[in-house]
Amino acid sequence: MQPYIGGIPAYGIFSSIGLFCMMMMLYLRNKKLSFREYLLLMASMIIGVAIGSKFLFIMTQIPDIIANFSMKYMLNKIITSGFVFYGGLFGAISGCMIFSKLHGYNVKEMLNFVAPGYSIFHTFGRIGCFFAGCCYGKISTWGLPLWNEPETLRIPVQLIEAIFLLSMTLFLLILEKKGKSNIFEIYLVGYAIFRFIIEFWRGDKLRGIWICFSTSQWISIIIIISFILYRATKIYRKTSKK
């Protein structure tokens, strides 16, 4: 792992590569949006990611902020803090939904369209995490060391997640080619299940632990339960009409 490449933060490099890949993927697959609308969609999602990921990170740090409360400490925490994936995801979803409503596009279709792009963006983001040494795994008898702990092996959860996300991206594109209409749902629920499991291998405490699960595990549980209830409601309505 190497936190800096040529003096530039590795996370920033790989996130930028991921953003470029997402933008190119959406641009090449675009069949409805004008170029102006495409740029507005990208801007809406990027702003949503920035606000959402930062906001959720701050929420996980509330106990620490309260314990050391001062305006200077809180502002420093906001400026220097990291980002949380689920916050960024919900921010991107919100940006996509707002864009769709303002420009008269079907929200579900637009979410299906952006899902593979966001997945490839996340893939490179996790590679960036690996190089930066954040979001690391538990100490183990196998794995790879952090750049600042060369003698300690850790489960490379960042790379495992990157491989999963790349596979998910390819799978979503295949489903899109087959004309499936539930691409976004598959992405959201599939990732939630995976994230709930892999969190047990995470070794960093910064993500926040509440009772017995991490913040991301609780969010994953909410997503999975919400999806089950949503599907059950749809099935019930269909059967009740017969």
Side-chain angles (χ1 to χ4, degrees):
M1 283 176 270
Q2 183 64 42
Y4 291 92
I5 300 176
I8 304 173
Y11 184 82
I13 291 174
F14 283 99
S15 293
S16 298
I17 293 173
L19 178 61
F20 175 77
C21 289
M22 178 182 75
M23 293 180 71
M24 287 304 298
M25 180 182 288
L26 297 185
Y27 179 76
L28 293 174
R29 291 165 49 244
N30 175 37
K31 296 178 181 178
K32 293 183 178 180
L33 305 176
S34 66
F35 186 68
R36 176 177 174 276
E37 289 174 331
Y38 160 78
L39 292 177
L40 288 173
L41 173 62
M42 290 297 98
S44 300
M45 292 177 62
I46 292 170
I47 292 171
V49 168
I51 295 175
S53 57
K54 183 71 72 172
F55 175 77
L56 188 56
F57 180 88
I58 296 301
M59 295 305 295
T60 66
Q61 301 300 301
I62 285 178
D64 180 57
I65 292 174
I66 292 175
N68 303 279
F69 184 76
S70 73
M71 288 303 297
K72 182 179 179 180
Y73 183 81
M74 186 171 68
L75 288 174
N76 182 65
K77 196 80 170 178
I78 294 172
I79 294 171
T80 62
S81 65
F83 301 92
V84 175
F85 166 74
Y86 267 133
L89 174 62
F90 293 133
I93 291 172
S94 298
C96 182
M97 292 177 68
I98 291 170
F99 168 84
S100 300
K101 291 291 186 181
L102 290 177
H103 292 83
Y105 288 103
N106 182 280
V107 172
K108 184 178 179 180
E109 290 180 0
M110 194 59 63
L111 289 174
N112 285 338
F113 171 64
V114 302
Y118 199 84
S119 183
I120 196 65
F121 168 65
H122 192 194
T123 299
F124 283 96
R126 279 302 182 224
I127 295 174
C129 289
F130 172 75
F131 277 89
C134 63
C135 307
Y136 49 82
K138 289 182 176 180
I139 296 174
S140 178
T141 56
W142 65 278
L144 296 167
L146 296 174
W147 62 271
N148 57 345
E149 296 179 354
E151 304 300 323
T152 304
L153 294 179
R154 292 181 179 274
I155 301 171
V157 290
Q158 311 100 316
L159 296 182
I160 293 171
E161 187 166 342
I163 292 170
F164 170 82
L165 288 165
L166 180 58
S167 302
M168 171 70 81
T169 302
L170 297 174
F171 180 60
L172 294 177
L173 291 173
I174 291 171
L175 291 179
E176 181 181 72
K177 202 164 186 178
K178 291 184 176 181
K180 301 296 183 180
S181 61
N182 58 343
I183 294 172
F184 174 72
E185 292 176 11
I186 291 172
Y187 164 68
L188 189 62
V189 177
Y191 180 76
I193 294 171
F194 172 84
R195 184 61 182 269
F196 180 82
I197 296 171
I198 203 170
E199 281 286 300
F200 288 113
W201 294 349
R202 288 275 290 266
D204 59 314
K205 303 300 179 184
L206 193 62
R207 67 197 191 282
I209 303 295
W210 308 90
I211 306 176
C212 56
F213 296 132
S214 69
T215 304
S216 293
Q217 283 177 312
W218 284 115
I219 295 174
S220 295
I221 291 171
I222 292 171
I223 290 173
I224 294 167
I225 292 175
S226 299
F227 175 75
I228 292 172
L229 292 175
Y230 168 73
R231 280 295 179 183
T233 302
K234 287 193 72 173
I235 293 171
Y236 173 77
R237 287 176 178 174
K238 282 184 179 180
T239 54
S240 63
K241 289 179 179 179
K242 294 181 178 179

